[in-house]
Amino acid sequence: MIKNRKAFISGIKSTVLSKQEKFFLKKYKPWGVILFSRNLKNFNQIKKLTRDIKSTFKDKKYPILIDQEGGRVNRLFNLIEASTFTPEYFGNLYRTRKNIFFDYYKIYINQTSYLLNELGINVNTVPVLDIRRPKASNIIGDRSYSSSAKTVSNIGNFCIDQFAKAKIGTVIKHIPGHGLAKVDSHKMTPIVKQKIKYLFKNDFHAFKKKKSFFAMTAHVIYKDVDPKNTATHSSKIISLIRDNLDFKNIIMSDDISMKSLKGSVKKNVQKALSAGCNLILHCNAKISEMRVVAENTPLVDDFVAKKTSQFYNFLS
């Protein structure tokens, strides 16, 4: 069943599956579906939507993803108020009142997980392990736990572990580190000029030896490693993630339609796959682009099938 899927994750346009989208899902069989605020109106509607997606594949464990970070990245704002609970909030709590941090963050994660499980969502694209930097693009900002790589790493481990206990998969992002980027990769290509030795001690360090089932790449060029390609398109960076950061599970691209990537959708998909990304993420729900992604993505390979089976066993 898993081996019949294609190695991409798709968005959808609205609060219900259109006939066109149902046909698309049945024909191309994406590995997973990601939901955004445009898809999420109220509790019963969301529950019906996730049920409809899963029934399309006859798979109760079908991967359905969401960005539910808290703070300004709160896709479930129609259901819960989470503006206070930024990663920065929990990072400050860890730094100043560590004695209560673990209880507070555990309660927050448990409540988030309970809601996701009730809604039929099984993957949350957290934690953000990018380090907070002065003079960097505000696209990360308060989405970061801290300016300390050690603090980010420690809180990240706790976050992954607590979501795992609640049977929610996590996606560490944006590997190997977006924190030094001075521009928003949704709009432009960030270029990080710091030397590799510095990066390994700092930004890259926050991602080392993480037990998350999934990781999401940064659309960032690290000039000292690969001066031409973003991490998503760089076999050198993907090898570094595997060998030096010791990440052994599924690597997905960040949204392949972001403007940091300068090629066509087709070219961006092909380059990400040849660099070593296991799954392609496409978010904007434009059906014409979705078809291009689907038609240029192979069936999942043995590695992804094996890791997905492990994820399914974890959900049991």
Side-chain angles (χ1 to χ4, degrees):
M1 184 166 60
I2 294 165
K3 284 197 170 185
N4 291 333
R5 308 243 176 98
K6 285 203 158 196
F8 74 102
I9 298 162
S10 178
I12 58 171
K13 197 164 190 177
S14 187
T15 54
V16 295
L17 287 176
S18 67
K19 286 183 181 178
Q20 196 176 36
E21 286 169 338
K22 284 180 183 177
F23 178 80
F24 177 89
L25 295 179
K26 285 178 180 176
K27 180 178 180 180
Y28 292 111
K29 298 180 176 62
W31 177 90
V33 167
I34 187 165
L35 301 179
F36 290 91
S37 299
R38 64 178 182 261
N39 310 123
L40 309 168
K41 188 177 177 183
N42 60 55
F43 185 87
N44 289 334
Q45 170 269 320
I46 300 167
K47 201 161 184 174
K48 184 180 186 307
L49 177 60
T50 61
R51 196 163 54 236
D52 288 348
I53 293 167
K54 290 173 183 177
S55 65
T56 301
F57 296 94
K58 297 181 174 59
D59 181 0
K60 290 179 180 178
K61 296 179 182 178
Y62 183 77
I64 298 181
L65 297 80
I66 192 172
D67 293 323
Q68 185 57 31
E69 295 174 11
R72 59 192 153 112
V73 184
N74 176 22
R75 308 301 187 198
L76 294 169
F77 65 84
N78 284 327
L79 274 65
I80 53 171
E81 166 56 49
S83 57
T84 302
F85 301 115
T86 62
E88 181 184 59
Y89 168 85
F90 288 110
N92 287 337
L93 204 61
Y94 181 87
R95 181 172 53 85
T96 61
R97 301 183 70 191
K98 197 177 286 189
N99 58 320
I100 66 166
F101 160 80
F102 293 101
D103 286 338
Y104 275 43
Y105 201 26
K106 184 177 180 180
I107 290 166
Y108 173 77
I109 290 172
N110 284 347
Q111 289 183 323
T112 302
S113 300
Y114 177 79
L115 183 56
L116 295 181
N117 278 316
E118 286 294 304
L119 293 170
I121 297 166
N122 50 23
V123 181
N124 193 10
T125 67
V126 296
V128 175
L129 298 181
D130 305 311
I131 296 173
R132 183 76 180 263
R133 298 289 190 174
K135 299 180 182 176
S137 166
N138 196 44
I139 191 60
I140 300 301
D142 62 6
R143 296 168 66 198
S144 171
Y145 293 117
S146 175
S147 57
S148 158
K150 186 177 179 183
T151 297
V152 171
S153 180
N154 289 345
I155 298 177
N157 287 335
F158 184 73
C159 176
I160 292 163
D161 182 57
Q162 292 304 308
F163 273 111
K165 285 178 179 175
K167 306 295 184 183
I168 298 290
T170 53
V171 184
I172 56 173
K173 62 187 186 186
H174 305 82
I175 201 165
H178 203 297
L180 284 163
K182 287 188 165 59
V183 296
D184 178 357
S185 56
H186 290 85
K187 299 171 184 175
M188 299 172 71
T189 309
I191 299 172
V192 168
K193 296 177 181 177
Q194 276 79 355
K195 296 294 182 185
I196 190 167
K197 189 175 179 182
Y198 174 88
L199 292 169
F200 270 120
K201 282 185 177 177
N202 294 280
D203 297 72
F204 294 2
H205 176 76
F207 288 87
K208 196 163 187 182
K209 292 186 177 177
K210 291 290 172 278
K211 293 179 180 178
S212 178
F213 273 103
F214 312 103
M216 182 187 293
T217 59
H219 292 334
V220 174
I221 290 174
Y222 303 90
K223 203 171 181 183
D224 199 39
V225 185
D226 186 336
K228 292 182 179 178
N229 298 297
T230 66
T232 306
H233 285 165
S234 174
S235 58
K236 290 178 182 177
I237 295 286
I238 301 296
S239 294
L240 179 153
I241 290 166
R242 293 296 191 199
D243 300 336
N244 301 93
L245 302 185
D246 203 27
F247 187 75
K248 304 303 184 189
N249 293 324
I250 291 174
I251 297 175
M252 65 181 71
S253 74
D254 202 347
D255 183 5
I256 209 73
S257 63
M258 283 162 60
K259 290 183 170 58
S260 175
L261 307 180
K262 299 306 183 190
S264 65
V265 172
K266 178 179 177 179
K267 188 74 174 170
N268 288 338
V269 168
Q270 291 171 340
K271 283 182 73 175
L273 291 167
S274 62
C277 288
N278 305 120
L279 297 172
I280 302 299
L281 177 65
H282 182 265
C283 297
N284 66 25
K286 292 180 182 175
I287 198 79
S288 58
E289 286 188 17
M290 288 161 63
R291 286 196 195 99
V292 174
V293 173
E295 287 167 3
N296 288 279
T297 306
L299 294 173
V300 298
D301 59 17
D302 289 343
F303 172 80
V304 174
K306 178 185 173 186
K307 292 294 180 180
T308 306
S309 292
Q310 290 173 1
F311 174 61
Y312 275 31
N313 289 337
F314 153 82
L315 292 175
S316 298

